[in-house]
Amino acid sequence: MSRRDPGGHAVTEPVEVRRSPQVSHGDWTVWLERDGEPEPHDAMIRERLALGVELLEGRRRPDRGLDAVIDPARPIAERVTHLARHRIDPATPVRILATAADTAEIGAPSAIVPTRYGLLRATLDVFGKLDPPKPVGFGTWVRADHAPESWDAAIIALPLADDSAPAVDATDLGAMLLLAQAYDPQNPHEDVHALAGLDTRSADVLRTLVEADSIRSAAARVGMHHSTVQARHETLTQTLGYDPRTNVGQMRYIAAALLLRLTDPDTLAHSRPA
């Protein structure tokens, strides 16, 4: 057992303190000790501490996690070696699941991995029977020695999950997955900026205009007069730089809406075109 004071120094002598609830992962446990009553942020601190310990454990014993298996920079021979430690044949079909970094392990090999979307938990799924916590992104099924491809798809699927669809399978994205994989969320496209700049009402009208059969039916769906929606349509066309009711305009809207979900709001705020 290792105990540390707020300055990070080892504490060896017994001290009468109140111990907080424990957070356990595998063969280790973390907790907080206080002289007085628990503080409001204790639970968050415990979770952050647990994440830090898990990251350190993964670096010290990489054979425990998936770091090497899903790392595209590792030679395939090295990935195969790590798969063998998990008793997985390189040709075995697998997929990788992406969940928030602070979600609990679910009885399958996992690791916390830094990504362009922050720290995420990667979990190896071999049989397709795992019941992961939501939200979750499911990667594509691939040979085990091509696991990095599945992980790349999983970390794209996860940001697309929401209350209406808490689990998103990257396979369901079809060709849109290729677009998302080529997208740089740190350099948003002008179409993405245009959507991000709309107020909530305008965004709702735009989505309805794209989905509805006609402007009149769109007006009925949003509860507005036909002439008002017609005027909104003209204004939105000028704002976006394309007509969202044409075939090409619909494609641009759908693509931009997808990529907006993959872009951090702070990035949009600091990279807006002049």
Side-chain angles (χ1 to χ4, degrees), residues 119-138:
L119 291 176
L120 297 176
R121 179 179 293 280
T123 301
L124 178 67
D125 185 6
V126 179
F127 302 107
K129 297 181 179 179
L130 296 179
D131 184 21
K134 309 300 187 297
V136 58
F138 292 95

Side-chain angles (χ1 to χ4, degrees), residues 183-227:
Y183 176 62
D184 179 5
Q186 299 300 316
N187 185 27
H189 189 272
E190 290 182 4
D191 285 356
V192 177
H193 277 290
L195 285 190
L198 297 179
D199 59 78
T200 302
R201 185 57 169 167
S202 295
D204 289 342
V205 171
L206 172 59
R207 182 172 58 253
T208 305
L209 282 169
V210 171
E211 297 173 351
D213 295 333
S214 65
I215 291 180
R216 190 171 297 278
S217 63
R221 287 175 56 178
V222 296
M224 298 171 66
H225 193 273
H226 171 266
S227 61

Side-chain angles (χ1 to χ4, degrees), residues 137-158:
F138 292 95
T140 50
W141 286 98
V142 297
R143 286 173 50 108
D145 54 2
H146 290 187
E149 298 174 14
S150 181
W151 174 236
D152 184 57
I155 63 176
I156 288 172
L158 178 60

Side-chain angles (χ1 to χ4, degrees), residues 50-71:
L51 287 176
V53 173
E54 184 165 356
L55 283 171
L56 288 174
E57 285 293 296
R59 289 173 182 266
R60 292 171 180 167
R61 299 172 59 186
D63 57 295
R64 295 185 57 205
L66 294 183
D67 304 66
V69 174
I70 64 176
D71 185 355

